[in-house]
Amino acid sequence: MAKVASLRQAAAAGRLPVDELVNKLRAEVGQAAIATEDAVGADSYFSTQPGWFDRTKIVASIDERDAMDPDKMTVVAVLHEAARMRETEIVELITTFPPAPGIDIMKMKGYLAWTEQDKDGLIRTYFSKPASP
């Protein structure tokens, strides 16, 4: 994970604030904890439902638990589906952890993203191709 994920993304996947992750790593190597003001972690990927979200616009759903190859990144499947999306359509990604690197990749490519945790503890992330201005 270290080669492809930032500390913020790793913290989000572990559902920890970044400062807590850093201090856990420091403790593992025998270093004292440091105080920081940075409490960014998994919560930075969750927000209230955006106005663009509409369940009826979901055109594909990808569940990482159904992956044939557990080593294959689900972001590849999301990118494949996203390439076929029309404006305002949505692809749903279901994971057991916040898919922080995938969210960041999709946002960098210009897609909208929203993440929520359902009542069963699954993380549902929705990606949409924004409408042209």
Side-chain angles (χ1 to χ4, degrees), residues 45 47-50 52-53 112-116 124-127:
Y45 288 93
S47 63
T48 58
Q49 182 175 315
W52 58 261
F53 181 75
L112 302 172
W114 175 54
T115 303
E116 68 174 343
R124 294 177 183 273
T125 304
Y126 304 96
F127 301 101

Side-chain angles (χ1 to χ4, degrees), residues 43-57:
D43 290 341
S44 67
Y45 288 93
F46 295 88
S47 63
T48 58
Q49 182 175 315
W52 58 261
F53 181 75
D54 178 349
R55 278 192 200 286
T56 65
K57 293 185 178 186

Side-chain angles (χ1 to χ4, degrees), residues 4-71:
V4 297
S6 68
L7 277 175
R8 183 174 72 87
Q9 293 167 339
R15 307 193 85 178
L16 298 169
V18 173
D19 59 342
E20 188 175 331
L21 174 63
V22 168
N23 282 330
K24 284 180 181 274
L25 293 170
R26 290 178 64 86
E28 283 295 315
V29 296
Q31 295 179 348
I34 56 173
T36 67
E37 297 297 318
D38 185 6
V40 176
D43 290 341
S44 67
Y45 288 93
F46 295 88
S47 63
T48 58
Q49 182 175 315
W52 58 261
F53 181 75
D54 178 349
R55 278 192 200 286
T56 65
K57 293 185 178 186
I58 296 173
V59 295
S61 183
I62 301 162
D63 191 329
E64 58 102 9
R65 297 168 301 164
D66 296 335
M68 298 283 253
D69 180 357
D71 293 327

